[in-house]
Every structure is written in C-alpha cells, then in structure tokens.
Amino acid sequence: MSGRHTTQEAHRLLTEYDAQLREAAELTGATTVTRDGPLWCGTYGDRGFVTYRDLGHLTGPALDELITRTITYYATQPAIASFEWKTRGHDLPADLPERLTQHGLHAEEPETVMLGEASLLAAPVPLPQGVSLRRIDFQPDPMPDLIRAAAAQERAFGVPFSPAHLARRLQDRQDLIEIWVAEADGEIICTGRLELVPGTAVAGIWGGGTVPEWRGQGIYRALVAQRARSALARGARYLHSDSTEFSRPILQRSGLLPITTTTPYIWTRR
C-alpha cells in the first residue's frame, strides 16, 4: 500500500475507531454507568473509568469544572480507590493532559492504538517444534489454566497478574472473551485474550505476552493469527489493540495501522 493510500486508510480507520470503540463500547461489563455532559463514567468494583467521543469543544474554565466534577463524583464513593481518564492523542483540546495533571491525575505510559482488517492477520504462522496453541476459557473449570496463564503473563510483563481477575472477566463477559495460550513441554509460554465488542464489527486483542526465553520465534505472532481467525469466524471484521513498543511493530508488520495514541491519566484516593 502506498504512503498516500496508507494515510487515507489510517484516517478511515480512525473514523471507525471513534464511532465504534468509544463511549458505551468501552463500558461493557461496568457495574454502573453515568453521564456528565460528554463524559461516560463507569465503575468496576473499586475502580472507575472515564471515556468520551469528544469533549464538545469544552476549553478553559468549563473544562476545569468538568474535571473537578468528575473527581468529586468518584471521591464521594468510598468504595472507589482510583479511576482512569482515558485520553487519545488526536483529541481536543490539546491542553487536556496538562489540565488533568494540574488536577492531580498522573499519566501512565502512552500506548499506540492499532486497528485494521482481521483478515490481514489470519494467515497461519509456523510454530517452533513442540509448541502448540490452545484455548483455555471454555473448560468446565478453567481456573488451573488461568493460574498458569497469569503466572506466564507475570513473567512476560514483570508485573503481577491475578487469575481471579481473569476469572471475573470471563464471568462478567460470558461469550465475549476467549483466552488463548501457547504451550511447550506442558508449560504456558505465551498468552493472549480476544474480546468481542458487542454491537460493533471489532474484536480486541489484549494481554499478549511471551516469556523471555521464548521470544523472537514467532509465537506471539502465531497467537495473534489464531485470535484473528477466531474473530473472523465470530463475525468481526476489524482487530484492535492498544499496543506497547514491543507488540506494535509485530502488529504493524502484520497489517494493523497505528491510528492514534492513548494515555491513561489516573486519580488515586489518598
């Protein structure tokens, strides 16, 4: 695809992203959802999540007032320990990140939003000898494998992962989530989720990570391809991911396009 056509396609996909993957689509499974002007505010247990499609041209003091109201909304709920205000790099006004910081929220690492045709990623990828792929979520008792998968994710990312959290996601979003793993010699060495977005033509690929000693052998790419085939079989047209610097190049070589960035801004109860 030429540079001009790539730019046109990225613009088209960004329009699809804004239309299909923001606001209500991001709050599937939320315990509560409320509206405040352009904002959609959800809760998930002790966490909150703020999303929107655009801020309706709010700037200056009016935007500061909206941020203050949002903080007050969550701060007056004793059960809420923190909330995330999810920003995107193409959103206006440009000084929103600065204003969120001034109100006490702190930025986490930005990620690249990737989106593209699932069919571009679906071609089978050869696996190293002795490695196989398996879906683990639909078993009568998936917890033993969820524990092993969470341990593999912890090794891959260097931060703790809760198998109980994975189990809750499966329970809350039945029939919308698939969890896939790659195994070698009975050990889970790579994991990844597929999450269908209800009411859209999109499925998200999340949580993909390979343990250090197995990297660079195409295992993550093979797990992406498997999830792409499953997404297509279930009627999705597009795949979406918020990608780190490690996964972004792999997904881009496979056919997804970077369309914007996303940075979480976090408020934490003191």
Side-chain angles (χ1 to χ4, degrees):
M1 186 180 292
S2 69
R4 181 171 64 86
H5 288 148
T6 298
T7 300
Q8 291 174 340
E9 178 66 359
H11 179 75
R12 183 186 73 82
L13 290 170
L14 181 59
T15 301
E16 293 282 357
Y17 174 80
D18 282 338
Q20 296 197 49
L21 291 178
R22 303 184 69 167
E23 300 182 332
E26 293 182 279
L27 292 168
T28 302
T31 307
T32 65
V33 177
T34 62
R35 298 287 307 278
D36 184 355
L39 299 187
W40 294 61
C41 302
T43 60
Y44 299 82
D46 65 351
R47 297 179 299 108
F49 184 82
V50 177
T51 183
Y52 51 92
R53 185 172 303 181
D54 65 67
L55 290 174
H57 307 293
L58 286 177
T59 59
L63 180 55
D64 285 330
E65 182 182 349
L66 180 64
I67 296 170
T68 298
R69 287 203 310 271
T70 304
I71 293 171
T72 300
Y73 170 73
Y74 286 111
T76 54
Q77 299 182 59
I80 298 296
S82 65
F83 76 83
E84 171 187 340
W85 184 305
K86 187 177 177 72
T87 70
R88 276 77 168 193
H90 66 291
D91 285 344
L92 297 174
D95 68 348
L96 173 62
E98 178 183 348
R99 291 182 182 276
L100 291 171
T101 301
Q102 289 172 348
H103 283 80
L105 284 76
H106 72 272
E108 293 192 335
E109 288 297 315
E111 294 182 320
T112 302
V113 178
M114 308 291 292
L115 186 65
E117 301 279 349
S119 58
L120 297 175
L121 289 84
V125 176
L127 286 164
Q129 185 173 359
V131 176
S132 60
L133 306 182
R134 182 165 63 94
R135 182 180 167 188
I136 65 172
D137 59 278
F138 63 97
Q139 308 172 74
D141 180 14
M143 185 55 74
D145 278 335
L146 293 179
I147 292 171
R148 296 168 63 231
Q153 282 191 302
E154 184 167 342
R155 291 187 59 208
F157 293 102
V159 295
F161 279 82
S162 167
H165 175 68
L166 283 174
R168 284 195 299 271
R169 287 187 69 84
L170 286 175
Q171 183 175 5
D172 292 343
R173 305 193 65 189
Q174 291 181 11
D175 301 324
L176 296 175
I177 295 181
E178 299 179 3
I179 300 178
W180 289 83
V181 300
E183 294 176 297
D185 297 324
E187 177 189 7
I188 292 179
I189 59 175
C190 183
T191 68
R193 301 192 314 276
L194 176 74
E195 300 199 12
L196 279 78
V197 183
T200 76
V202 185
I205 48 177
W206 305 102
T210 306
V211 299
E213 64 270 27
W214 282 94
R215 291 173 183 162
Q217 301 185 57
I219 298 169
Y220 172 78
R221 173 68 186 92
L223 206 61
V224 168
Q226 176 59 66
R227 286 178 285 170
R229 291 192 293 273
S230 188
L232 289 167
R234 298 184 63 168
R237 174 179 175 182
Y238 300 107
L239 283 185
H240 159 243
S241 176
D242 292 348
S243 299
T244 66
E245 59 182 311
F246 302 106
S247 59
R248 180 197 58 75
I250 300 171
L251 296 176
Q252 192 164 356
R253 286 194 298 269
S254 301
L256 297 191
L257 292 179
I259 58 171
T260 188
T261 59
T262 180
T263 304
Y265 281 78
I266 307 298
W267 174 88
T268 303
R269 185 180 298 279
R270 296 177 179 176

PDB file of all heavy atoms in Angstrom, residues 159-192:
ATOM      1  N   VAL A 159       5.093  -7.743  35.962  1.00  0.00           N
ATOM      2  CA  VAL A 159       4.168  -7.201  36.969  1.00  0.00           C
ATOM      3  C   VAL A 159       3.165  -8.297  37.317  1.00  0.00           C
ATOM      4  O   VAL A 159       2.893  -9.187  36.499  1.00  0.00           O
ATOM      5  CB  VAL A 159       3.425  -5.944  36.460  1.00  0.00           C
ATOM      6  CG1 VAL A 159       4.405  -4.805  36.225  1.00  0.00           C
ATOM      7  CG2 VAL A 159       2.649  -6.250  35.191  1.00  0.00           C
ATOM      8  N   PRO A 160       2.598  -8.270  38.519  1.00  0.00           N
ATOM      9  CA  PRO A 160       1.661  -9.324  38.924  1.00  0.00           C
ATOM     10  C   PRO A 160       0.390  -9.319  38.090  1.00  0.00           C
ATOM     11  O   PRO A 160      -0.101  -8.262  37.687  1.00  0.00           O
ATOM     12  CB  PRO A 160       1.363  -8.987  40.398  1.00  0.00           C
ATOM     13  CG  PRO A 160       2.476  -8.106  40.832  1.00  0.00           C
ATOM     14  CD  PRO A 160       2.891  -7.340  39.620  1.00  0.00           C
ATOM     15  N   PHE A 161      -0.132 -10.510  37.818  1.00  0.00           N
ATOM     16  CA  PHE A 161      -1.426 -10.685  37.177  1.00  0.00           C
ATOM     17  C   PHE A 161      -2.267 -11.607  38.040  1.00  0.00           C
ATOM     18  O   PHE A 161      -1.775 -12.606  38.564  1.00  0.00           O
ATOM     19  CB  PHE A 161      -1.282 -11.278  35.767  1.00  0.00           C
ATOM     20  CG  PHE A 161      -0.916 -10.270  34.723  1.00  0.00           C
ATOM     21  CD1 PHE A 161       0.408  -9.883  34.549  1.00  0.00           C
ATOM     22  CD2 PHE A 161      -1.875  -9.694  33.921  1.00  0.00           C
ATOM     23  CE1 PHE A 161       0.757  -8.945  33.595  1.00  0.00           C
ATOM     24  CE2 PHE A 161      -1.537  -8.748  32.966  1.00  0.00           C
ATOM     25  CZ  PHE A 161      -0.220  -8.377  32.798  1.00  0.00           C
ATOM     26  N   SER A 162      -3.546 -11.262  38.170  1.00  0.00           N
ATOM     27  CA  SER A 162      -4.434 -12.003  39.058  1.00  0.00           C
ATOM     28  C   SER A 162      -5.282 -12.993  38.276  1.00  0.00           C
ATOM     29  O   SER A 162      -6.089 -12.581  37.425  1.00  0.00           O
ATOM     30  CB  SER A 162      -5.347 -11.033  39.812  1.00  0.00           C
ATOM     31  OG  SER A 162      -6.396 -11.716  40.452  1.00  0.00           O
ATOM     32  N   PRO A 163      -5.155 -14.279  38.549  1.00  0.00           N
ATOM     33  CA  PRO A 163      -6.066 -15.242  37.892  1.00  0.00           C
ATOM     34  C   PRO A 163      -7.508 -15.014  38.296  1.00  0.00           C
ATOM     35  O   PRO A 163      -8.420 -15.252  37.508  1.00  0.00           O
ATOM     36  CB  PRO A 163      -5.551 -16.603  38.370  1.00  0.00           C
ATOM     37  CG  PRO A 163      -4.737 -16.323  39.585  1.00  0.00           C
ATOM     38  CD  PRO A 163      -4.170 -14.952  39.405  1.00  0.00           C
ATOM     39  N   ALA A 164      -7.734 -14.526  39.520  1.00  0.00           N
ATOM     40  CA  ALA A 164      -9.109 -14.238  39.949  1.00  0.00           C
ATOM     41  C   ALA A 164      -9.705 -13.117  39.099  1.00  0.00           C
ATOM     42  O   ALA A 164     -10.895 -13.138  38.771  1.00  0.00           O
ATOM     43  CB  ALA A 164      -9.129 -13.861  41.424  1.00  0.00           C
ATOM     44  N   HIS A 165      -8.876 -12.127  38.726  1.00  0.00           N
ATOM     45  CA  HIS A 165      -9.366 -11.049  37.866  1.00  0.00           C
ATOM     46  C   HIS A 165      -9.752 -11.595  36.495  1.00  0.00           C
ATOM     47  O   HIS A 165     -10.794 -11.225  35.937  1.00  0.00           O
ATOM     48  CB  HIS A 165      -8.296  -9.974  37.718  1.00  0.00           C
ATOM     49  CG  HIS A 165      -8.656  -8.876  36.770  1.00  0.00           C
ATOM     50  ND1 HIS A 165      -9.659  -7.966  37.022  1.00  0.00           N
ATOM     51  CD2 HIS A 165      -8.149  -8.537  35.549  1.00  0.00           C
ATOM     52  CE1 HIS A 165      -9.763  -7.123  36.019  1.00  0.00           C
ATOM     53  NE2 HIS A 165      -8.866  -7.445  35.110  1.00  0.00           N
ATOM     54  N   LEU A 166      -8.916 -12.485  35.939  1.00  0.00           N
ATOM     55  CA  LEU A 166      -9.258 -13.109  34.662  1.00  0.00           C
ATOM     56  C   LEU A 166     -10.564 -13.889  34.771  1.00  0.00           C
ATOM     57  O   LEU A 166     -11.409 -13.832  33.874  1.00  0.00           O
ATOM     58  CB  LEU A 166      -8.128 -14.039  34.216  1.00  0.00           C
ATOM     59  CG  LEU A 166      -6.883 -13.399  33.630  1.00  0.00           C
ATOM     60  CD1 LEU A 166      -5.816 -14.469  33.372  1.00  0.00           C
ATOM     61  CD2 LEU A 166      -7.201 -12.654  32.343  1.00  0.00           C
ATOM     62  N   ALA A 167     -10.731 -14.614  35.878  1.00  0.00           N
ATOM     63  CA  ALA A 167     -11.949 -15.401  36.069  1.00  0.00           C
ATOM     64  C   ALA A 167     -13.171 -14.499  36.145  1.00  0.00           C
ATOM     65  O   ALA A 167     -14.236 -14.825  35.592  1.00  0.00           O
ATOM     66  CB  ALA A 167     -11.826 -16.260  37.329  1.00  0.00           C
ATOM     67  N   ARG A 168     -13.027 -13.342  36.817  1.00  0.00           N
ATOM     68  CA  ARG A 168     -14.157 -12.409  36.906  1.00  0.00           C
ATOM     69  C   ARG A 168     -14.502 -11.846  35.535  1.00  0.00           C
ATOM     70  O   ARG A 168     -15.682 -11.688  35.195  1.00  0.00           O
ATOM     71  CB  ARG A 168     -13.834 -11.276  37.879  1.00  0.00           C
ATOM     72  CG  ARG A 168     -13.913 -11.664  39.345  1.00  0.00           C
ATOM     73  CD  ARG A 168     -13.940 -10.429  40.234  1.00  0.00           C
ATOM     74  NE  ARG A 168     -12.734  -9.631  40.077  1.00  0.00           N
ATOM     75  CZ  ARG A 168     -11.619  -9.806  40.783  1.00  0.00           C
ATOM     76  NH1 ARG A 168     -11.556 -10.774  41.688  1.00  0.00           N
ATOM     77  NH2 ARG A 168     -10.572  -9.017  40.599  1.00  0.00           N
ATOM     78  N   ARG A 169     -13.487 -11.520  34.734  1.00  0.00           N
ATOM     79  CA  ARG A 169     -13.758 -11.015  33.387  1.00  0.00           C
ATOM     80  C   ARG A 169     -14.517 -12.049  32.567  1.00  0.00           C
ATOM     81  O   ARG A 169     -15.448 -11.719  31.825  1.00  0.00           O
ATOM     82  CB  ARG A 169     -12.460 -10.635  32.686  1.00  0.00           C
ATOM     83  CG  ARG A 169     -11.822  -9.368  33.205  1.00  0.00           C
ATOM     84  CD  ARG A 169     -10.633  -8.960  32.366  1.00  0.00           C
ATOM     85  NE  ARG A 169     -11.035  -8.510  31.045  1.00  0.00           N
ATOM     86  CZ  ARG A 169     -11.434  -7.275  30.764  1.00  0.00           C
ATOM     87  NH1 ARG A 169     -11.508  -6.370  31.718  1.00  0.00           N
ATOM     88  NH2 ARG A 169     -11.769  -6.942  29.532  1.00  0.00           N
ATOM     89  N   LEU A 170     -14.130 -13.308  32.695  1.00  0.00           N
ATOM     90  CA  LEU A 170     -14.832 -14.365  31.972  1.00  0.00           C
ATOM     91  C   LEU A 170     -16.280 -14.466  32.426  1.00  0.00           C
ATOM     92  O   LEU A 170     -17.196 -14.627  31.607  1.00  0.00           O
ATOM     93  CB  LEU A 170     -14.131 -15.703  32.185  1.00  0.00           C
ATOM     94  CG  LEU A 170     -12.818 -15.926  31.443  1.00  0.00           C
ATOM     95  CD1 LEU A 170     -12.194 -17.250  31.857  1.00  0.00           C
ATOM     96  CD2 LEU A 170     -13.040 -15.894  29.932  1.00  0.00           C
ATOM     97  N   GLN A 171     -16.500 -14.345  33.721  1.00  0.00           N
ATOM     98  CA  GLN A 171     -17.858 -14.459  34.246  1.00  0.00           C
ATOM     99  C   GLN A 171     -18.709 -13.259  33.839  1.00  0.00           C
ATOM    100  O   GLN A 171     -19.883 -13.406  33.468  1.00  0.00           O
ATOM    101  CB  GLN A 171     -17.819 -14.572  35.762  1.00  0.00           C
ATOM    102  CG  GLN A 171     -19.188 -14.765  36.400  1.00  0.00           C
ATOM    103  CD  GLN A 171     -19.089 -14.989  37.896  1.00  0.00           C
ATOM    104  OE1 GLN A 171     -18.025 -14.904  38.479  1.00  0.00           O
ATOM    105  NE2 GLN A 171     -20.217 -15.276  38.521  1.00  0.00           N
ATOM    106  N   ASP A 172     -18.103 -12.065  33.886  1.00  0.00           N
ATOM    107  CA  ASP A 172     -18.861 -10.844  33.591  1.00  0.00           C
ATOM    108  C   ASP A 172     -19.151 -10.696  32.100  1.00  0.00           C
ATOM    109  O   ASP A 172     -20.129 -10.041  31.724  1.00  0.00           O
ATOM    110  CB  ASP A 172     -18.089  -9.615  34.076  1.00  0.00           C
ATOM    111  CG  ASP A 172     -17.990  -9.553  35.593  1.00  0.00           C
ATOM    112  OD1 ASP A 172     -18.773 -10.254  36.261  1.00  0.00           O
ATOM    113  OD2 ASP A 172     -17.119  -8.815  36.098  1.00  0.00           O
ATOM    114  N   ARG A 173     -18.282 -11.265  31.269  1.00  0.00           N
ATOM    115  CA  ARG A 173     -18.428 -11.061  29.820  1.00  0.00           C
ATOM    116  C   ARG A 173     -18.519 -12.406  29.103  1.00  0.00           C
ATOM    117  O   ARG A 173     -17.810 -12.666  28.134  1.00  0.00           O
ATOM    118  CB  ARG A 173     -17.255 -10.239  29.290  1.00  0.00           C
ATOM    119  CG  ARG A 173     -17.056  -8.910  30.008  1.00  0.00           C
ATOM    120  CD  ARG A 173     -16.112  -8.016  29.256  1.00  0.00           C
ATOM    121  NE  ARG A 173     -16.683  -7.633  27.970  1.00  0.00           N
ATOM    122  CZ  ARG A 173     -15.999  -6.979  27.022  1.00  0.00           C
ATOM    123  NH1 ARG A 173     -14.737  -6.674  27.213  1.00  0.00           N
ATOM    124  NH2 ARG A 173     -16.582  -6.658  25.886  1.00  0.00           N
ATOM    125  N   GLN A 174     -19.387 -13.248  29.596  1.00  0.00           N
ATOM    126  CA  GLN A 174     -19.554 -14.577  29.018  1.00  0.00           C
ATOM    127  C   GLN A 174     -19.848 -14.482  27.525  1.00  0.00           C
ATOM    128  O   GLN A 174     -20.607 -13.634  27.074  1.00  0.00           O
ATOM    129  CB  GLN A 174     -20.678 -15.323  29.738  1.00  0.00           C
ATOM    130  CG  GLN A 174     -20.334 -15.706  31.165  1.00  0.00           C
ATOM    131  CD  GLN A 174     -21.466 -16.473  31.837  1.00  0.00           C
ATOM    132  OE1 GLN A 174     -22.406 -16.891  31.183  1.00  0.00           O
ATOM    133  NE2 GLN A 174     -21.367 -16.664  33.130  1.00  0.00           N
ATOM    134  N   ASP A 175     -19.219 -15.354  26.785  1.00  0.00           N
ATOM    135  CA  ASP A 175     -19.383 -15.467  25.329  1.00  0.00           C
ATOM    136  C   ASP A 175     -18.729 -14.322  24.557  1.00  0.00           C
ATOM    137  O   ASP A 175     -18.835 -14.274  23.330  1.00  0.00           O
ATOM    138  CB  ASP A 175     -20.864 -15.561  24.926  1.00  0.00           C
ATOM    139  CG  ASP A 175     -21.554 -16.758  25.549  1.00  0.00           C
ATOM    140  OD1 ASP A 175     -20.899 -17.814  25.678  1.00  0.00           O
ATOM    141  OD2 ASP A 175     -22.737 -16.645  25.906  1.00  0.00           O
ATOM    142  N   LEU A 176     -18.055 -13.405  25.241  1.00  0.00           N
ATOM    143  CA  LEU A 176     -17.393 -12.306  24.551  1.00  0.00           C
ATOM    144  C   LEU A 176     -15.875 -12.409  24.622  1.00  0.00           C
ATOM    145  O   LEU A 176     -15.181 -11.701  23.889  1.00  0.00           O
ATOM    146  CB  LEU A 176     -17.835 -10.955  25.139  1.00  0.00           C
ATOM    147  CG  LEU A 176     -19.307 -10.591  24.990  1.00  0.00           C
ATOM    148  CD1 LEU A 176     -19.604  -9.290  25.729  1.00  0.00           C
ATOM    149  CD2 LEU A 176     -19.691 -10.474  23.520  1.00  0.00           C
ATOM    150  N   ILE A 177     -15.350 -13.239  25.507  1.00  0.00           N
ATOM    151  CA  ILE A 177     -13.906 -13.338  25.725  1.00  0.00           C
ATOM    152  C   ILE A 177     -13.420 -14.744  25.424  1.00  0.00           C
ATOM    153  O   ILE A 177     -14.054 -15.734  25.797  1.00  0.00           O
ATOM    154  CB  ILE A 177     -13.536 -12.972  27.176  1.00  0.00           C
ATOM    155  CG1 ILE A 177     -13.850 -11.507  27.459  1.00  0.00           C
ATOM    156  CG2 ILE A 177     -12.051 -13.236  27.444  1.00  0.00           C
ATOM    157  CD1 ILE A 177     -13.486 -11.061  28.860  1.00  0.00           C
ATOM    158  N   GLU A 178     -12.287 -14.813  24.749  1.00  0.00           N
ATOM    159  CA  GLU A 178     -11.556 -16.062  24.577  1.00  0.00           C
ATOM    160  C   GLU A 178     -10.143 -15.849  25.111  1.00  0.00           C
ATOM    161  O   GLU A 178      -9.537 -14.803  24.878  1.00  0.00           O
ATOM    162  CB  GLU A 178     -11.476 -16.469  23.103  1.00  0.00           C
ATOM    163  CG  GLU A 178     -12.835 -16.695  22.452  1.00  0.00           C
ATOM    164  CD  GLU A 178     -12.708 -17.068  20.982  1.00  0.00           C
ATOM    165  OE1 GLU A 178     -11.557 -17.206  20.509  1.00  0.00           O
ATOM    166  OE2 GLU A 178     -13.748 -17.180  20.317  1.00  0.00           O
ATOM    167  N   ILE A 179      -9.612 -16.844  25.803  1.00  0.00           N
ATOM    168  CA  ILE A 179      -8.236 -16.786  26.285  1.00  0.00           C
ATOM    169  C   ILE A 179      -7.453 -17.916  25.635  1.00  0.00           C
ATOM    170  O   ILE A 179      -7.821 -19.094  25.749  1.00  0.00           O
ATOM    171  CB  ILE A 179      -8.159 -16.893  27.816  1.00  0.00           C
ATOM    172  CG1 ILE A 179      -8.928 -15.740  28.461  1.00  0.00           C
ATOM    173  CG2 ILE A 179      -6.698 -16.886  28.289  1.00  0.00           C
ATOM    174  CD1 ILE A 179      -8.954 -15.776  29.967  1.00  0.00           C
ATOM    175  N   TRP A 180      -6.391 -17.534  24.941  1.00  0.00           N
ATOM    176  CA  TRP A 180      -5.560 -18.486  24.206  1.00  0.00           C
ATOM    177  C   TRP A 180      -4.160 -18.523  24.812  1.00  0.00           C
ATOM    178  O   TRP A 180      -3.663 -17.500  25.315  1.00  0.00           O
ATOM    179  CB  TRP A 180      -5.464 -18.087  22.738  1.00  0.00           C
ATOM    180  CG  TRP A 180      -6.736 -18.281  21.971  1.00  0.00           C
ATOM    181  CD1 TRP A 180      -7.800 -17.434  21.909  1.00  0.00           C
ATOM    182  CD2 TRP A 180      -7.078 -19.419  21.188  1.00  0.00           C
ATOM    183  NE1 TRP A 180      -8.792 -17.965  21.115  1.00  0.00           N
ATOM    184  CE2 TRP A 180      -8.376 -19.191  20.651  1.00  0.00           C
ATOM    185  CE3 TRP A 180      -6.418 -20.609  20.861  1.00  0.00           C
ATOM    186  CZ2 TRP A 180      -9.023 -20.104  19.829  1.00  0.00           C
ATOM    187  CZ3 TRP A 180      -7.056 -21.525  20.042  1.00  0.00           C
ATOM    188  CH2 TRP A 180      -8.345 -21.268  19.530  1.00  0.00           C
ATOM    189  N   VAL A 181      -3.542 -19.696  24.762  1.00  0.00           N
ATOM    190  CA  VAL A 181      -2.180 -19.840  25.265  1.00  0.00           C
ATOM    191  C   VAL A 181      -1.355 -20.643  24.273  1.00  0.00           C
ATOM    192  O   VAL A 181      -1.884 -21.427  23.462  1.00  0.00           O
ATOM    193  CB  VAL A 181      -2.143 -20.550  26.645  1.00  0.00           C
ATOM    194  CG1 VAL A 181      -2.933 -19.757  27.674  1.00  0.00           C
ATOM    195  CG2 VAL A 181      -2.662 -21.989  26.555  1.00  0.00           C
ATOM    196  N   ALA A 182      -0.053 -20.429  24.326  1.00  0.00           N
ATOM    197  CA  ALA A 182       0.913 -21.300  23.658  1.00  0.00           C
ATOM    198  C   ALA A 182       1.631 -22.086  24.734  1.00  0.00           C
ATOM    199  O   ALA A 182       1.998 -21.534  25.780  1.00  0.00           O
ATOM    200  CB  ALA A 182       1.908 -20.477  22.840  1.00  0.00           C
ATOM    201  N   GLU A 183       1.836 -23.375  24.469  1.00  0.00           N
ATOM    202  CA  GLU A 183       2.463 -24.263  25.455  1.00  0.00           C
ATOM    203  C   GLU A 183       3.635 -25.009  24.836  1.00  0.00           C
ATOM    204  O   GLU A 183       3.637 -25.310  23.642  1.00  0.00           O
ATOM    205  CB  GLU A 183       1.449 -25.283  25.979  1.00  0.00           C
ATOM    206  CG  GLU A 183       0.320 -24.668  26.787  1.00  0.00           C
ATOM    207  CD  GLU A 183      -0.713 -25.700  27.213  1.00  0.00           C
ATOM    208  OE1 GLU A 183      -1.360 -26.294  26.321  1.00  0.00           O
ATOM    209  OE2 GLU A 183      -0.856 -25.915  28.424  1.00  0.00           O
ATOM    210  N   ALA A 184       4.600 -25.311  25.682  1.00  0.00           N
ATOM    211  CA  ALA A 184       5.732 -26.165  25.300  1.00  0.00           C
ATOM    212  C   ALA A 184       6.124 -26.993  26.511  1.00  0.00           C
ATOM    213  O   ALA A 184       6.320 -26.441  27.604  1.00  0.00           O
ATOM    214  CB  ALA A 184       6.912 -25.326  24.827  1.00  0.00           C
ATOM    215  N   ASP A 185       6.176 -28.306  26.337  1.00  0.00           N
ATOM    216  CA  ASP A 185       6.530 -29.223  27.433  1.00  0.00           C
ATOM    217  C   ASP A 185       5.641 -29.001  28.652  1.00  0.00           C
ATOM    218  O   ASP A 185       6.114 -29.035  29.803  1.00  0.00           O
ATOM    219  CB  ASP A 185       8.004 -29.057  27.819  1.00  0.00           C
ATOM    220  CG  ASP A 185       8.946 -29.420  26.684  1.00  0.00           C
ATOM    221  OD1 ASP A 185       8.630 -30.372  25.938  1.00  0.00           O
ATOM    222  OD2 ASP A 185       9.976 -28.738  26.525  1.00  0.00           O
ATOM    223  N   GLY A 186       4.352 -28.766  28.399  1.00  0.00           N
ATOM    224  CA  GLY A 186       3.416 -28.604  29.499  1.00  0.00           C
ATOM    225  C   GLY A 186       3.464 -27.261  30.184  1.00  0.00           C
ATOM    226  O   GLY A 186       2.736 -27.038  31.159  1.00  0.00           O
ATOM    227  N   GLU A 187       4.274 -26.325  29.695  1.00  0.00           N
ATOM    228  CA  GLU A 187       4.398 -25.001  30.294  1.00  0.00           C
ATOM    229  C   GLU A 187       3.754 -23.957  29.383  1.00  0.00           C
ATOM    230  O   GLU A 187       3.957 -23.973  28.163  1.00  0.00           O
ATOM    231  CB  GLU A 187       5.871 -24.646  30.496  1.00  0.00           C
ATOM    232  CG  GLU A 187       6.095 -23.246  31.058  1.00  0.00           C
ATOM    233  CD  GLU A 187       7.553 -22.826  31.043  1.00  0.00           C
ATOM    234  OE1 GLU A 187       8.387 -23.565  30.480  1.00  0.00           O
ATOM    235  OE2 GLU A 187       7.856 -21.754  31.588  1.00  0.00           O
ATOM    236  N   ILE A 188       2.972 -23.054  29.970  1.00  0.00           N
ATOM    237  CA  ILE A 188       2.423 -21.937  29.209  1.00  0.00           C
ATOM    238  C   ILE A 188       3.525 -20.901  29.005  1.00  0.00           C
ATOM    239  O   ILE A 188       4.121 -20.415  29.967  1.00  0.00           O
ATOM    240  CB  ILE A 188       1.208 -21.320  29.918  1.00  0.00           C
ATOM    241  CG1 ILE A 188       0.028 -22.318  29.917  1.00  0.00           C
ATOM    242  CG2 ILE A 188       0.782 -20.023  29.232  1.00  0.00           C
ATOM    243  CD1 ILE A 188      -1.220 -21.813  30.609  1.00  0.00           C
ATOM    244  N   ILE A 189       3.783 -20.561  27.737  1.00  0.00           N
ATOM    245  CA  ILE A 189       4.889 -19.660  27.423  1.00  0.00           C
ATOM    246  C   ILE A 189       4.421 -18.362  26.766  1.00  0.00           C
ATOM    247  O   ILE A 189       5.197 -17.420  26.607  1.00  0.00           O
ATOM    248  CB  ILE A 189       5.928 -20.359  26.525  1.00  0.00           C
ATOM    249  CG1 ILE A 189       5.281 -20.835  25.216  1.00  0.00           C
ATOM    250  CG2 ILE A 189       6.583 -21.518  27.271  1.00  0.00           C
ATOM    251  CD1 ILE A 189       6.271 -21.423  24.229  1.00  0.00           C
ATOM    252  N   CYS A 190       3.145 -18.296  26.379  1.00  0.00           N
ATOM    253  CA  CYS A 190       2.600 -17.084  25.781  1.00  0.00           C
ATOM    254  C   CYS A 190       1.093 -17.106  25.977  1.00  0.00           C
ATOM    255  O   CYS A 190       0.475 -18.173  25.938  1.00  0.00           O
ATOM    256  CB  CYS A 190       2.941 -17.015  24.285  1.00  0.00           C
ATOM    257  SG  CYS A 190       2.408 -15.508  23.437  1.00  0.00           S
ATOM    258  N   THR A 191       0.505 -15.941  26.217  1.00  0.00           N
ATOM    259  CA  THR A 191      -0.930 -15.846  26.444  1.00  0.00           C
ATOM    260  C   THR A 191      -1.496 -14.666  25.669  1.00  0.00           C
ATOM    261  O   THR A 191      -0.766 -13.763  25.257  1.00  0.00           O
ATOM    262  CB  THR A 191      -1.260 -15.632  27.937  1.00  0.00           C
ATOM    263  OG1 THR A 191      -0.807 -14.332  28.336  1.00  0.00           O
ATOM    264  CG2 THR A 191      -0.591 -16.684  28.803  1.00  0.00           C
ATOM    265  N   GLY A 192      -2.811 -14.655  25.488  1.00  0.00           N
ATOM    266  CA  GLY A 192      -3.472 -13.524  24.858  1.00  0.00           C
ATOM    267  C   GLY A 192      -4.974 -13.697  24.873  1.00  0.00           C
ATOM    268  O   GLY A 192      -5.473 -14.823  24.761  1.00  0.00           O
TER     269      GLY A 192
END
